[in-house]
Every structure is written in structure tokens, then in C-alpha cells.
Amino acid sequence: MGKRGRNLHRDIILKFNFDSVRFMEYFFELLLGGLTRGSIYALIALGYTMVYGIIELINFAHGEIYMIGAFTALIVASLLTIYGFHGVSILILASVAAVIYSSAYGFTIEKIAYKPLRRAPRLSPLISAIGMSIFLQNYVRLAQTSDFLPFPSLIPEFGFMRDYEHIFSSAELVIFIAAALIMAMLTFLVKLTRMGMAMRASAQDRKMAMLSGVDVDRVISVTFITGSALAAVGGVLIASHIGQINFSIGFIAGIKAFTAAVLGGIGSIPGAVLGGFFLGWAESFATGYVSSDYEDVFAFALLVLILIFKPEGLIGRSKANKV
Amino acid sequence: MINFSDIKKSLLISVWFMFLTFPIMVIRVNPIDKIVEWRWLNMILVGAASFIASFAWKHYFDKKEKGKSVKTFLKSGHTVFINNIADKKRFRLSFAFILFASAIIFPFIFSAYQVNIITTALVYVVLGLGLNIVVGIAGLLDLGYVAFYAVGAYSYGLLNHHFGLGFWAVLPAGALIAALFGILLGFPVLRLRGDYLAIVTLGFGEIIRITLENWNEFSSGPSGIANIQRPSLFGLELSLQSAAVYIYFLMIALTLFTVFVVKRLQNSRIGRAWLALREDETACEAMGINKTKTKLSAFALGATWAGMMGVMFAAKTTFINPASFTFHESAMILSIVVLGGMGSVSGVTAAAFVLILLPEYLRAFSDFRMLFFGAILVIMMIFRPQGLVSGARRAYRFNKADDKI
């Protein structure tokens, strides 16, 4: 995320680091910054975990869906700005467009790249997913641009937050609240609706769900659409917060969100949220107190360590290998 | 054949894709100058292309569904042709001879530029064959293969820079160091399977690249290492032109060596153990195969070739930096293996040539190269998961007559 901005921030902070008040402030800044980061990771991680729960596939293209969401939002927001719209209406319209398009992409990708491979060996859909991810990245690169594009800051600044702006900005507050709301909605969808029940049934045992009359293909489609919509919201929020996007943002964000999903235990929805926050904090503190040069290495190293020592994650269950 | 409902369906599909690609393909805004560019032509192109593609998709998909049994599928169309010529020994010999002769003559006819391109293609042939050991034969999806390539390249770059070691000393050393890294990666991931393994190797590759980028004292960061020595011929310094030819011949020799070794490995005891590992890990262990040894040897032997090619790459370009070792490189090598056919030596060789030379010679196409690689991975997995040339397995036939002794 905005490397230059954060480095600058760190340098300023380091100057005052000796002051203990400043020290606490810095700590809280990192804590809350990690919370924001974590809620974005959680939003994207939910898509991974839901898809993995049902079809046991790492949807490599999920990060690209997030990127496409951000791009769609940027295009719509710029158009609206040019045609004279203002403030919150742009944020809402751009988010809606991003959600619609990301969901459409998620749906189509599943139909093209994964559905024909339902019964193929495990490696095949994975390779297909990697191919899809590379394809989408380059599709956006060729159709749009390979440069970083400035993203308008769509989230308004609140008056009551003015005194705390240096520790916790309004944008961060909005991100956190929006993420929490969406996760609550998702919990409602999964726990209390008919579709959610079908989702849980398919995740438990796809064949048995099919036998009990669940339209598994539809459930999978809905899962992809929901996951993509969440990623799109994450994309819009973070892009507006950081202020720039390009075609490759999905790759790193995707891997980090996947790390979050694995951290919490892949396939588990509360796990993804927990993993997201955990990763957000780990990264925030590591970059704040150690070094920001290796920001991405922390996430990767964490991922590798978790997969090696506790592959079932924080609250996941381990599964026995079957022949 | 083509009826009304098919056309209606394809029309719907093309409308859907026009909708889907609308914001990205049609609109381009410049947020700074506030200019909007509407590219309606793209929309028409997308519509037409998806209309045609949907027919092709349906056609090939139906064909695949019909020929579900692998045998009939394999024997359809041109595969028969390829397999047949591959079977005829005389033809194969003469073909190999012609290929060899033209490879020898090539650098004396064409310019150094052309020679360099072929050398690059050969580097990818060897990389493809190396990854083929890990992915194709042993079935371990390694997405960080480029890390070993980087290890080899930096071994040569650093050893040459600090200690003045020459190409010939570092070639085996680079291979060895890469193999060590392979084992280093292999140990922690022994327990992981399939998709988790893919992610961890991907992370490993990125960790190596980011470390090279940031550890300035060690690798001089993003600016890389320049002025690396070219290989010398018995202590002779060669001119630029003849160095290109020299490296070309070195690469030919190395490629032949690789093909030989990989072929031998494939049918060896360890090669069959790899195949068993690919088919079913648990069953393979139950058959008394040492999983640790088998997995580690696959990683180490795969990495060896990448390390050697890294040394070669550094010697060829005389300049290396971390930007040459991104995930895209790994993806490219993976596409070569997938297109060629996992486990097939001739397929991987052909695929490397096609995928490297095509974008080189069709300049207009080179921008689309990564797009194309991505599409290849998807399309191959759906329509031809065994690749263009499916790897032949050594089969032990059981004859009824033998049984009646």
C-alpha cells in the first residue's frame, strides 16, 4: 500500500519516537491502521474461503476480480466527476458499478475456467485459475494502461474526526464500518437464508447436497458472485484510501488475502475474518517497528510458516488424507 | 448442424461479453486531464469475437465430451500423425539428423541477433525440461521455479564480481547452489500437497525476489549486477559476435545433455517413483517408496537445471537484476510445460520454441504475449490437459502366451 506515503509518515514518527506520548500514539496508529488493513484483507479473504469451502479450489483469479472492481470504480467515478456529480453520490454509484461488474466477472470466470474442470484432477483447475489470473491482469493492462492511475478519494472527511485524523482517518473509519456491516450481512446470508443453508450443505458434502435436491451449480455461482462482490467493495475502499491503482494490484492483494484465509483456517468464514485482522496487525506492526522494505515478505513468510506448521489454520479443522 | 437455438445462445453470449468488457475495453478516462475516450470499435470486436468463440467452444467441448474415454481422444486428428512419425525409427533418425545439421549451420548463416534469439529459446527449453521434472513428472506444482533461476544467475554474478570466478567454475557451482535451495524449499513443504504447495512455492519465489531487491549490500538491489564475464574459450576472450555463437553452441550442447539426462531419469527407478508420487501420494507411500527422498530429489533435480540456466543467462546478458525474475517468468515456464504436455520431453521442447519464438518474430504480437500465455493455461486445461504431445509412459505388456509356460 502507498509505500512512499507510509515511509514519509514513518520518518516523521521516528523523529518524535522518544516522546512516550508519541510512542503510544504511534502504537495506536499502527493498531488502528492494522485494523483497517485487516478488514480489507478479510473482505477479500472471504471470497477465497467461501469458494474453497465448496469446490476446494484456490481461486487465483480472485485478486484480479478485486482489481477489476477497483478499475471499474475508477472509470465510473472519473466519468461522474467529469459529468458534474459530487461527493457521496459518486462513492455510492462507483461502488455499485464495481460490485455489479466484479460479480459478473466472477460468475463468468467460474463458468469458463472452473466449471468444465469440476471432475478433472486437482491440479487442472488450479493451473486454469493461474492462467485466468494472468489473462485478466494483461487484459486490463492492454485495454487500459500499465501506469499507476490516480484514484480520487471518494470517502468524505468527517468534522468530528478532525482531532484524531493523524491517528485514525475518516476514510479508515468508513472502511472499518463498511467492512463490518458487509460481514454482518454475509453472516446473515449464510446462517439464515435458504441459499446460505444450501451453501453450507454443499460445503459439507457436495454429493449429498446434490442428492437432497440442492442445485449445486447454482450454489457455486452464487458463491462466486458473493465473493466477487465483497472483493469489489474491498477494492473500491482501499483504492480510494491509497489513491492509486494499476493492473497488478490484485496479485499481491490476492496472495495476502489468501494468507489471511489460510491463517484463519480455509473454508471457515469467521476464520477468514480473524485471519484478516491478524494479518493486518502483523503487517502493520512489522512494517511500523521493523522495516517497510520487506512489507510483502512478512506476509509471505507468515503464509509459509502457517502452511508448514499449522496448515489447518487458527480455527479450522484438519482433514485426513484420502487415497 | 448449427440450428437456431445455438445462434440465439451465441448471440446472448456475445451480448453478455459486450456488457462485461464495456467499462474496461470501451471507456478510457484520463483522470488528470479529464478526457474520456470512447472506443466503440472494441465493443464490436468483442461481440464478434465472442460470437465466433462460443461456437468453437461448443464444438470442441462437445467433441471432448463425446470422446470421453482417453484412448479415442488421444487417437483423434493430428495426434495420430505426430505419434506415428514419432514411432518410425528411420524417420526419427533422419529428422534428428536434419535438425542437428541445421542447428550447426544456423549461426554461420544468420546474424548474431537471430542466434541470440535461438539461444534464449534454448534456455527456455532447458528451463521447461527442468520444471517438467517437478510439475510434469512428480506432479508438484512449483510456481516459484524462477527463484532457482535467480539463484543461479546471482551465484554467477556475485562469484564473478567478488572473486572473479569464471563461467566454467560457476556452472556446476550454480547448479549445486540451486539444488541446495531446492532442498531447502523442499524440506518444509514435504507435508503439503497440491494447491498449498503451489502457494508456498509462489511465496518462496517472491521472497527471494524481494530480498534481492532490498538487500542492497548483498545484491546491489534493483540496479543489479553489471559487467559479468562472458564465458571464455580456453582462456581466450571472444568478440561480441563470436561470443554469441560460442554461447549458442554451449546452449545446444547443454540442451542435448538435458534431454539425455531427463529421458534417462524418466525411465529410471526414481523417475517411476516420481510418477507414482504424482498419481497418488498415499498409495505411493504404501508401496514402500520413500516420499521424503523422492520429493526432495524432484525439487533438487528440477532446481539444478534452473540454476545452470541462471548461470547461462547471466553469462549471456552480462547484466542481471531482480526484474528478470518475476512471477511472470515462472508462469511462462509453466505455460511451456502445460502446452507441451506434462512429462513429455519432445512436447516441452517444441512448446518452448513456439512460445518464445512466436512473440519474437511477430512483433505486433509481443505485447499480447502474457495475455496469450494466460489463455493457453486455461484453454489447455479445459480441452487438452495432457498437452500437445502426451508423454509416453513405459508400459509393461502382459501377454497371455507367456503365462502358459
Side-chain angles (χ1 to χ4, degrees), chain A:
Chain A
M1 339 222 126
K3 208 171 181 174
R4 205 180 309 137
R6 210 198 31 256
N7 275 346
L8 192 74
H9 223 96
R10 214 185 80 218
D11 292 341
I12 295 168
I13 293 295
L14 281 178
K15 272 184 202 147
F16 296 104
N17 214 350
F18 306 105
D19 189 346
S20 68
V21 176
R22 283 283 171 189
F23 184 80
M24 276 320 282
E25 252 180 22
Y26 187 48
F27 175 80
F28 273 111
E29 188 191 322
L30 292 178
L31 188 76
L32 294 169
L35 196 70
T36 321
R37 242 175 218 244
S39 42
I40 296 290
Y41 289 151
L43 275 184
I44 310 172
L46 284 168
Y48 276 110
T49 231
M50 283 164 63
V51 167
Y52 195 92
I54 294 182
I55 55 173
E56 298 214 332
L57 162 77
I58 298 174
N59 182 10
F60 245 87
H62 193 62
E64 267 52 65
I65 288 174
Y66 148 92
M67 180 266 296
I68 284 173
F71 252 97
T72 312
L74 172 67
I75 289 164
V76 171
S78 311
L79 272 183
L80 291 175
T81 322
I82 290 168
Y83 292 127
F85 282 76
H86 288 293
V88 184
S89 63
I90 295 182
L91 173 66
I92 292 169
L93 286 174
S95 309
V96 168
V99 166
I100 290 173
Y101 269 99
S102 283
S103 309
Y105 270 94
F107 172 79
T108 315
I109 288 167
E110 194 268 326
K111 286 275 178 279
I112 291 177
Y114 307 143
K115 197 171 172 229
L117 296 172
R118 274 297 145 72
R119 277 167 301 173
R122 247 175 106 110
L123 231 50
S124 302
L126 190 63
I127 293 175
S128 170
I130 294 162
M132 206 54 186
S133 153
I134 297 168
F135 180 85
L136 288 174
Q137 268 183 38
N138 287 282
Y139 151 71
V140 173
R141 178 176 67 92
L142 292 167
Q144 292 288 321
T145 170
S146 59
D147 301 328
F148 268 96
L149 289 175
F151 198 96
S153 59
L154 300 171
I155 303 169
E157 292 197 357
F158 304 122
F160 65 88
M161 288 291 290
R162 201 163 294 142
D163 296 341
Y164 310 103
E165 204 70 36
H166 59 292
I167 301 177
F168 195 48
S169 66
S170 335
E172 287 178 306
L173 181 72
V174 171
I175 289 175
F176 178 66
I177 290 175
L181 271 178
I182 287 165
M183 286 175 217
M185 271 156 64
L186 181 75
T187 314
F188 171 77
L189 171 80
V190 172
K191 290 268 178 226
L192 297 175
T193 62
R194 239 181 115 71
M195 194 62 201
M197 200 157 88
M199 272 181 187
R200 280 178 290 141
S202 316
Q204 247 176 34
D205 190 332
R206 200 158 39 152
K207 239 181 224 154
M208 195 60 219
M210 229 184 272
L211 285 173
S212 349
V214 174
D215 185 350
V216 173
D217 276 344
R218 216 176 123 231
V219 170
I220 293 174
S221 284
V222 171
T223 309
F224 268 86
I225 289 171
T226 329
S228 306
L230 296 180
V233 175
V236 177
L237 292 175
I238 199 69
S240 150
H241 184 47
I242 294 172
Q244 56 174 12
I245 55 171
N246 89 339
F247 73 94
S248 67
I249 55 167
F251 179 65
I252 292 283
I255 298 217
K256 285 188 181 167
F258 177 75
T259 307
V262 173
L263 249 166
I266 198 148
S268 139
I269 288 179
V273 177
L274 195 72
F277 286 126
F278 191 90
L279 181 68
W281 277 319
E283 247 188 47
S284 183
F285 285 118
T287 51
Y289 286 127
V290 188
S291 156
S292 63
D293 288 343
Y294 292 93
E295 181 186 348
D296 297 337
V297 170
F298 291 125
F300 289 129
L302 198 61
L303 173 66
V304 173
L305 290 179
I306 298 256
L307 282 180
I308 292 161
F309 292 111
K310 204 166 163 35
E312 70 274 9
L314 294 174
I315 51 175
R317 272 166 301 159
S318 62
K319 249 198 263 174
N321 297 338
K322 282 176 281 189
V323 175

Side-chain angles (χ1 to χ4, degrees), chain B residues 61-112:
Chain B
F61 207 73
D62 289 350
K63 205 164 134 190
K64 190 191 162 196
E65 289 291 308
K66 261 183 216 151
K68 209 56 202 189
S69 91
V70 184
K71 253 187 189 158
T72 51
F73 184 49
L74 273 183
K75 278 185 182 157
S76 68
H78 59 280
T79 340
V80 181
F81 179 66
I82 290 177
N83 285 351
N84 270 350
I85 29 177
D87 278 345
K88 294 218 171 82
K89 212 170 186 179
R90 233 180 63 204
F91 188 88
R92 229 162 74 175
L93 268 177
S94 50
F95 182 69
F97 180 74
I98 291 168
L99 209 66
F100 193 69
S102 47
I104 300 269
I105 302 166
F106 184 83
F108 301 111
I109 299 173
F110 291 96
S111 66

Side-chain angles (χ1 to χ4, degrees), chain B residues 5 14 52 104 189-190 204 215 217 262 300 325 329 346 375 390:
Chain B
S5 76
S14 90
I52 296 164
I104 300 269
V189 300
L190 276 175
F204 178 75
W215 195 0
E217 304 80 53
V262 170
F325 307 107
E329 206 74 11
S346 50
S390 47

Side-chain angles (χ1 to χ4, degrees), chain B residues 144-152 181 201 204-206 208-209 212 306 325 330:
Chain B
Y145 192 63
V146 77
F148 306 124
Y149 189 39
V151 165
F181 266 82
T201 50
F204 178 75
E206 286 295 294
I208 296 242
R209 186 181 62 78
L212 287 175
F325 307 107
S330 290

Side-chain angles (χ1 to χ4, degrees), chain B residues 350-384:
Chain B
F353 270 102
V354 170
L355 287 187
I356 302 301
L357 296 186
L358 220 58
E360 270 318 322
Y361 287 118
L362 302 171
R363 273 287 154 196
F365 180 78
S366 69
D367 234 11
F368 295 87
R369 140 199 222 148
M370 284 319 288
L371 190 80
F372 183 64
F373 286 156
I376 280 182
L377 288 180
V378 179
I379 291 169
M380 288 305 285
M381 277 303 117
I382 292 169
F383 294 112
R384 242 192 116 71

Side-chain angles (χ1 to χ4, degrees), chain B residues 6 23 46 54-55 97 104 120 137 153 217 219 231 235 253 320 334 373 390:
Chain B
D6 277 352
V46 167
S54 71
F55 277 110
F97 180 74
I104 300 269
T120 311
I137 305 178
E217 304 80 53
S219 62
I320 47 171
L334 182 67
F373 286 156
S390 47

